[in-house]
Amino acid sequence: MCGIAGWVSFDGDLRTERATAAAMTDTMACRGPDDVGLYLRPHVALGHRRLAVIDVAHGRQPMALAADGGLAAGPDVERVTDEDLALAYSGEVYDFREHRARLGGRFDTDSDTEVVLRAHRAGRGRDPREVVAGFNGMFAYALWDARAQELLLVRDRLGVKPLYYRQTADGVLFGSEPKAVLAHPDVPRVVDAAGLRQVFGLVADPAHTPFAGLREVPPGHVVRVTRTGVQELRYWQLESTPHTDDVDATVRTVRELLDDTAARQLVADVPLCTLLSGGLDSSALTALAARQLGAAGQGPVRSFSVDFAGNDADFVPDEVRGTQDAPYVVDVARHVASDHTDVVLDDARLLDDAARAAVLRARDTPGMGEIDTSLYLLFAAVRQSSTVALSGESADEVFGGYIDFHDPAAVGAGTFPWLAGRMVRGHGLGDLLHERVAKELDLTGHVADAYAATMAEVPRLAGETGHDARMREVSYAYLTRFLPVLLDRKDRMSMAVGLEVRVPFCDHRLVQYVFNAPWHLKTFDGREKSLLRAATADLLPRSVVERVKSPYPSTQDPRYGAEIARRFGVLADDGTTPLGELVDLEAARSAGRDVQDRLLYVDAWLREYDVEVQL
């Protein structure tokens, strides 16, 4: 996993802009602590920061292919004079060995980066989307075609790996995170009404960001940049097809897909582990990893969990979190004989100013408060002994795990179910906006428009009606407007400490297959995630098989809430805070802990990033 940054200027000579290109690249140092490289040509700059995972010794970047097929990598790219293609790449192509065998011929490294580069060269003359569509993985990369004078910005199907760009008068600026683009001296830090809707809303936008003019490459897209302009081209999307398998065949296929994707994603030349919460998703993944690593003589699997000091005494079950994680984590760790570590966090660490500042710098935008901070601290602890971690993220969206999937009122509300149900109740900030700001943002209208656009995208299945048809809509909404929020959070918090987190449940083959399983199959045992439970029950302790879904944990120590309230009170008394221009701070004094926590992050963002709000 790595960080990339770059610049295309068709009217300039970027060989004179080394300092700026290097500054943009240096913002990605957290994503790539192991190496740095820069490729400068008259009209393109490609910057790369490397986290070495595959072919540690030779997979340096940027990589370039000469006209004769020779490869140059890292510092050597500066000496190539007849280059054909150049690449700055982040991520993993899990089936790179199959592509390597298919391509044949010369290879100078054992890295997936070289495979991607040579696959594009072999595919020259075809639509580049056909090349990208052949990859199985999580990736974001920039490919410069020196012959065609064309840049491709490519992002994986589900948007696991981020990639941002800003169009300029004669090209683009781009990077793995907003900070790479913001480091360019000509980029203003302007946030308009559309951007504030991103900050204060609870619906992901597949392409837009809070910063005006800064876009994300949409998941499943290639952005083509030429002298004539910029095009966003889709190469993948969810499709609706008839599902003809019965329950047994569906369960069997899910297991086969899980076995295969786990095997692919366990490939690394550095220490690897799993993230274990004691829930069905992470427990199944840990068990699969334990079995496969054991069979290969590479066990035991390492596993990590997060908990909070005093949680035994402080935990109170509610309608969303009914059980603590810790007992189930113990059951799984014993059952699969993992080398397990509990990361226990106390309030001092969660409230630490340096940790909270690191979270803000990682995100470049306001985040989710304490659950961001705890995830960052968990990943920092994991990184001390592992470079790669496997996560159960996205299983709830794929298999229908959230409580709101199963709430008839939320499902039938005519909006995004998480906004009508219990998952994010009490976390919204819109009710605290000043009247004039609320009127300008019109969050209600924004959500309605976003929901209508989402429903218009849903691939329909001919002849499907009733509840199965509605749940196809709900599943599509979660996969495209909710999951991106969680993937973005996990990417930023992990890469801030140089940890690569892989998400096997985002394998596009699994997502596509389960998306088309009708809802009555996904709930055939009368519970959430029926297919996943049945497919992995033989690997798990009975306690986990029977456990009801519980989301990512949060500290329940009342002292944390008291300190957040104190800090917010200080903020509300500060007549100079830019947050006061947007939010009724007096009304927010009586808001809940999580809302005040998020508002503290919004205030810090406005200040630290010197954001110019334009309404």
Side-chain angles (χ1 to χ4, degrees):
M1 196 57 58
C2 308
I4 67 174
W7 183 3
V8 168
S9 173
F10 289 109
D11 295 336
D13 186 348
L14 295 184
R15 292 173 296 184
T16 67
E17 298 287 352
R18 177 177 291 273
T20 298
M24 294 171 65
T25 303
D26 285 346
T27 65
M28 297 292 95
C30 59
R31 299 184 72 92
D34 296 331
D35 197 11
V36 59
L38 196 61
Y39 170 93
L40 286 174
R41 293 297 182 268
H43 302 309
V44 65
L46 300 179
H48 190 269
R49 294 288 313 211
R50 186 182 185 211
L51 176 64
V53 173
I54 300 292
D55 193 1
V56 174
H58 304 107
R60 304 181 74 182
Q61 295 191 51
M63 275 189 185
L65 281 178
D68 65 358
L71 182 77
D76 292 342
V77 298
E78 295 279 52
R79 294 194 288 271
V80 177
T81 58
D82 60 343
E83 67 268 27
D84 189 12
L85 296 173
L87 176 68
Y89 167 84
S90 170
E92 307 290 347
V93 169
Y94 300 123
D95 58 349
F96 75 98
R97 289 170 174 164
E98 291 97 316
H99 286 283
R100 182 185 177 113
R102 177 182 57 79
L103 289 167
R106 173 180 178 178
F107 281 89
D108 296 338
T109 75
D110 292 323
S111 72
D112 57 335
T113 306
E114 183 181 0
V115 170
V116 170
L117 190 56
R118 292 193 183 277
H120 275 283
R121 188 179 193 196
R124 178 173 267 143
R126 298 158 46 203
D127 188 325
R129 289 176 288 184
E130 296 178 17
V131 177
V132 180
F135 298 145
N136 178 314
M138 58 176 192
F139 46 78
Y141 60 87
L143 180 77
W144 174 251
D145 188 327
R147 187 191 307 176
Q149 293 287 285
E150 171 183 287
L151 179 77
L152 297 180
L153 298 175
V154 180
R155 193 173 181 200
D156 65 67
R157 293 168 177 84
L158 275 295
V160 179
K161 290 291 101 184
L163 187 54
Y164 296 82
Y165 76 97
R166 177 184 174 90
Q167 192 167 356
T168 65
D170 69 334
V172 296
L173 302 163
F174 63 88
S176 293
E177 298 178 11
K179 61 175 64 69
V181 177
L182 295 173
H184 192 283
D186 293 340
V187 176
R189 301 185 176 200
V190 171
V191 175
D192 55 17
L196 288 178
R197 293 185 189 107
Q198 297 287 305
V199 173
F200 291 106
L202 290 168
V203 178
D205 187 311
H208 297 92
T209 76
F211 293 103
L214 182 66
R215 290 180 62 81
E216 283 194 75
V217 176
H221 278 69
V222 171
V223 174
R224 173 181 271 157
V225 182
T226 66
R227 286 184 178 274
T228 60
V230 175
Q231 293 176 289
E232 290 185 352
L233 306 170
R234 184 190 294 273
Y235 71 88
W236 183 85
Q237 60 186 330
L238 281 167
E239 297 179 350
S240 287
T241 57
H243 186 89
T244 57
D245 292 344
D246 62 13
V247 170
D248 291 341
T250 301
V251 169
R252 186 168 57 251
T253 300
V254 167
R255 176 59 176 271
E256 291 170 353
L257 287 168
L258 288 173
D259 282 336
D260 183 69
T261 191
R264 292 177 184 275
Q265 298 196 28
L266 286 169
V267 175
D269 296 332
V270 292
L272 176 146
C273 69
T274 67
L275 305 174
L276 176 61
S277 71
L280 179 62
D281 320 332
S282 66
S283 299
L285 194 57
T286 298
L288 285 166
R291 173 174 287 193
Q292 295 194 16
L293 290 175
Q298 299 173 1
V301 64
R302 294 179 181 177
S303 59
F304 289 82
S305 64
V306 65
D307 203 355
F308 303 95
N311 207 33
D312 284 346
D314 297 328
F315 182 81
V316 176
D318 58 29
E319 61 181 351
V320 175
R321 291 184 179 90
T323 54
Q324 297 184 64
D325 287 348
Y328 301 93
V329 168
V330 171
D331 286 351
V332 176
R334 288 175 176 169
H335 190 76
V336 304
S338 70
D339 178 6
H340 184 73
T341 300
D342 289 311
V343 178
V344 181
L345 305 175
D346 58 23
D347 287 352
R349 297 181 68 188
L350 292 170
L351 292 163
D352 179 68
D353 289 338
R356 291 173 69 88
V359 167
L360 180 61
R361 287 194 301 271
R363 272 212 179 255
D364 291 325
T365 57
M368 300 180 182
E370 175 256 320
I371 61 173
D372 277 0
T373 315
S374 65
L375 192 65
Y376 168 80
L377 292 169
L378 167 64
F379 288 155
V382 171
R383 184 62 175 90
Q384 293 177 20
S385 58
S386 295
T387 307
V388 175
L390 271 63
S391 164
E393 198 81 271
S394 83
D396 288 305
E397 290 81 5
V398 173
F399 289 98
Y402 294 124
I403 190 171
D404 296 330
F405 270 101
H406 307 273
D407 180 350
V411 168
T415 187
F416 297 104
W418 57 92
L419 298 183
R422 289 168 277 181
M423 279 295 296
V424 299
R425 184 180 297 164
H427 291 261
L429 307 180
D431 292 341
L432 297 172
L433 296 173
H434 285 305
E435 184 177 354
R436 62 176 181 80
V437 178
K439 183 177 180 180
E440 178 69 25
L441 300 190
D442 185 18
L443 290 177
T444 300
H446 166 66
V447 169
D449 290 344
Y451 180 72
T454 304
M455 293 299 100
E457 293 174 9
V458 176
R460 309 292 175 176
L461 182 64
E464 186 177 60
T465 60
H467 193 57
D468 280 341
R470 174 55 183 160
M471 295 312 296
R472 183 180 298 273
E473 295 176 341
V474 169
S475 296
Y476 184 88
Y478 269 100
L479 287 166
T480 62
R481 300 304 193 275
F482 190 82
L483 178 60
V485 175
L486 303 185
L487 292 176
D488 183 72
R489 167 178 170 253
K490 189 172 294 293
D491 174 85
R492 295 302 191 283
M493 296 304 102
S494 62
M495 295 309 296
V497 299
L499 176 70
E500 174 177 304
V501 175
R502 300 176 178 177
V503 280
F505 289 110
C506 279
D507 184 289
H508 70 279
R509 301 166 302 163
L510 178 68
V511 173
Q512 177 68 44
Y513 181 77
V514 178
F515 176 70
N516 281 299
W519 187 249
H520 68 269
L521 280 184
K522 293 177 184 174
T523 56
F524 74 85
D525 63 358
R527 295 191 54 189
E528 79 284 357
K529 292 187 283 196
S530 304
L531 294 175
L532 179 58
R533 180 177 295 101
T536 58
D538 64 302
L539 300 171
L540 300 172
R542 198 67 207 165
S543 61
V544 172
V545 174
E546 295 175 353
R547 188 187 183 192
V548 175
K549 162 70 186 175
S550 184
Y552 181 82
S554 176
T555 181
Q556 296 197 23
D557 189 334
R559 292 172 294 184
Y560 182 86
E563 175 59 15
I564 290 296
R566 187 197 68 79
R567 293 186 183 189
F568 189 82
V570 172
L571 174 67
D573 291 337
D574 180 1
T576 65
T577 171
L579 183 65
E581 297 296 315
L582 303 172
V583 171
D584 184 341
L585 297 179
E586 288 304 312
R589 285 181 190 269
S590 59
R593 182 199 82 176
D594 293 339
V595 168
Q596 290 184 344
D597 206 355
R598 288 183 63 200
L599 288 174
L600 286 170
Y601 269 111
V602 174
D603 176 72
W605 174 65
L606 293 169
R607 294 174 187 259
E608 296 300 321
Y609 280 73
D610 194 22
V611 173
E612 179 185 349
V613 176
Q614 294 183 357
L615 288 178

